[in-house]
Amino acid sequence: MKRLAGSLLLILCILSGVQATPADSLLAGPKYVLVIHGGAGTILKSQMTPAKEKAYIAALEQALKAGYAVISKGGSSLDAVEAAVRVMEDSPLFNAGKGAVFTNEGKNELDAAIMNGKTLEAGAVAGVTTIRNPITAARAVMEKSQHVMMMGAGAEKFAKEAGLEIVDPSYFYTEDRWRGLQRAKAQDSVKAQLDHADTAKVSLLGIANHDYKFGTVGAVALDKAGNLAAATSTGGMTNKKFGRVGDAPIIGAGTYANNATCAISCTGWGEYFIRLSVAKTSSDLMEYKGLSVKDATSEMIMKKVPALGGDGGLIALDKDGNMAWPFNTAGMYRGCITADGKVEVKIYKE
Ligand code: ASP
């Protein structure tokens, strides 16, 4: 069958005057080496100013370039995803690192995870308040401890001992996010009057409403040695309560990488991503059912997550450099770069 397809292609090429090349390379799409996201949610062009849009595009491009600089020099996918995520953590635009959202108590509690697709090693931190770049702390947990996940004060102590940059919690204060918390708190009570069923669900989670922008950041990369890696970093959800931890630092929920299948980083209403183990289930659909990266991730994001009432999106990259970035929200900040350096950045639905 494949030989027949190859011969047909060859005949077509000759007839159309295209120089004959092996059928396989003609059938293959562009090879992606790095895909990033800056969160999914109610991101509408009507609510965006040109200046803000420009700033997001510039920040996404900067993150892509930081990761690509690693890959193009033959560096590892782990280094690439960490570099890309650090750029977004240092930007106030995204809900990770510097731009993290506030909890109900007016604090910034950060979660992050990283995973090595070659070895299935993983590292994560949850609920940290003083680590400037939580993604680097997650990597330190993976490489310098016997554990996969550390939380709170213990994780901060570990990061300090590992020589990571520690900041005062006030470093994470941004006016924009503070106003976001006040809005969320106000909407919470408005919601209570309008929609009891929905309010019951959302107040159970400690989240004002689900029309939020999930500004979590993430990156997936494929290096020249064929190794995949995934990284995710977040401030969680505005107005979250009582030590709530989302999907981002949970391996298999918001973050997963396996050279045999794909690398994935999720963004969205974390509770649903945890309940459905979205990242690992997508990988399982590829491994055990033979689905493509597009079909596997679309099954989770366009069917399973909304069926439970959740929303969000993800980025995924398979071992052959095919990528997918499904989302069921109005928009998702996202970007990708191919092996030859071609950059694409998008915000809204196509
Ligand atoms: N998934 C994140 C969480 O639930 C939120 C986000 O994607 O922005 O913590």
Side-chain angles (χ1 to χ4, degrees):
M1 190 65 203
K2 204 172 169 192
R3 253 180 50 199
L4 186 67
S7 319
L8 279 173
L9 243 142
L10 199 65
I11 294 165
L12 272 173
C13 288
I14 292 164
L15 288 177
S16 62
V18 175
Q19 210 186 345
T21 33
D24 278 350
S25 66
L26 276 172
L27 291 170
K31 185 176 169 156
Y32 293 92
V33 292
L34 178 68
V35 189
I36 61 170
H37 71 78
T42 317
I43 306 161
L44 296 164
K45 194 155 175 81
S46 55
Q47 289 171 5
M48 189 75 84
T49 63
K52 211 169 163 192
E53 190 180 277
K54 224 172 122 190
Y56 273 107
I57 291 171
L60 289 166
E61 282 176 358
Q62 197 193 339
L64 281 171
K65 279 182 193 144
Y68 186 72
V70 175
I71 298 282
S72 59
K73 282 192 210 107
S76 73
S77 51
L78 269 178
D79 285 344
V81 291
E82 184 187 354
V85 165
R86 279 181 69 107
V87 168
M88 293 186 280
E89 282 181 339
D90 288 344
S91 162
L93 292 175
F94 304 103
N95 172 20
K98 175 69 188 154
V101 296
F102 285 92
T103 67
N104 180 260
E105 295 163 315
K107 299 205 299 190
N108 308 98
E109 295 179 355
L110 315 171
D111 302 332
I114 194 162
M115 186 156 182
N116 182 340
K118 182 183 179 188
T119 59
L120 300 187
E121 286 169 318
V125 292
V128 295
T129 58
T130 62
I131 302 171
R132 176 173 167 159
N133 292 106
I135 199 63
T136 301
R139 185 159 180 189
V141 171
M142 175 172 81
E143 291 176 343
K144 297 179 181 164
S145 85
Q146 309 255 306
H147 309 300
V148 168
M149 186 186 251
M150 290 191 190
M151 57 164 276
E156 289 165 0
K157 186 165 183 265
F158 171 79
K160 193 172 178 194
E161 283 170 11
L164 269 53
E165 188 174 350
I166 302 297
V167 291
D168 187 83
S170 63
Y171 163 80
F172 299 106
Y173 180 91
T174 57
E175 194 59 40
D176 213 33
R177 298 300 190 196
W178 183 252
R179 279 203 303 267
L181 174 64
Q182 309 316 317
R183 266 199 312 273
K185 284 183 162 175
Q187 279 182 20
D188 212 355
S189 53
V190 171
K191 257 301 207 213
Q193 290 157 16
L194 293 176
D195 178 355
H196 291 287
D198 201 26
T199 305
K201 186 165 76 175
V202 294
S203 45
L204 193 76
L205 297 168
I207 294 153
N209 77 40
H210 66 276
D211 283 340
Y212 274 96
K213 295 172 191 70
F214 305 114
T216 290
V217 308
V220 290
L222 173 65
D223 61 28
K224 287 185 177 166
N227 294 317
L228 288 165
T232 314
S233 181
T234 188
M237 292 182 79
T238 302
N239 204 20
K240 66 182 181 181
K241 296 186 178 96
F242 311 127
R244 179 262 189 191
V245 174
D247 60 316
I250 298 178
I251 300 304
T255 308
Y256 196 71
N258 182 347
N259 274 6
T261 54
C262 63
I264 293 189
S265 169
C266 301
T267 169
W269 195 340
E271 278 70 12
Y272 294 92
F273 284 72
I274 297 173
R275 289 164 60 193
L276 290 165
S277 300
V278 167
K280 175 67 159 65
T281 306
S282 301
S283 165
D284 287 348
L285 286 172
M286 293 177 70
E287 185 167 359
Y288 304 122
K289 282 197 112 187
L291 265 60
S292 69
V293 69
K294 277 204 165 50
D295 290 346
T297 54
S298 149
E299 171 73 17
M300 297 310 294
I301 295 298
M302 308 315 281
K303 290 191 191 155
K304 300 290 188 204
V305 170
L308 282 191
D311 51 5
L314 61 76
I315 50 166
L317 187 58
D318 78 9
K319 57 187 170 39
D320 301 316
N322 301 304
M323 71 92 163
W325 52 21
F327 55 96
N328 58 39
T329 49
M332 181 166 84
Y333 297 109
R334 60 204 191 277
C336 59
I337 190 159
T338 52
D340 57 5
K342 195 170 157 276
V343 171
E344 201 182 336
V345 169
K346 288 189 185 290
I347 300 178
Y348 319 102
K349 270 198 185 123
E350 310 279 76

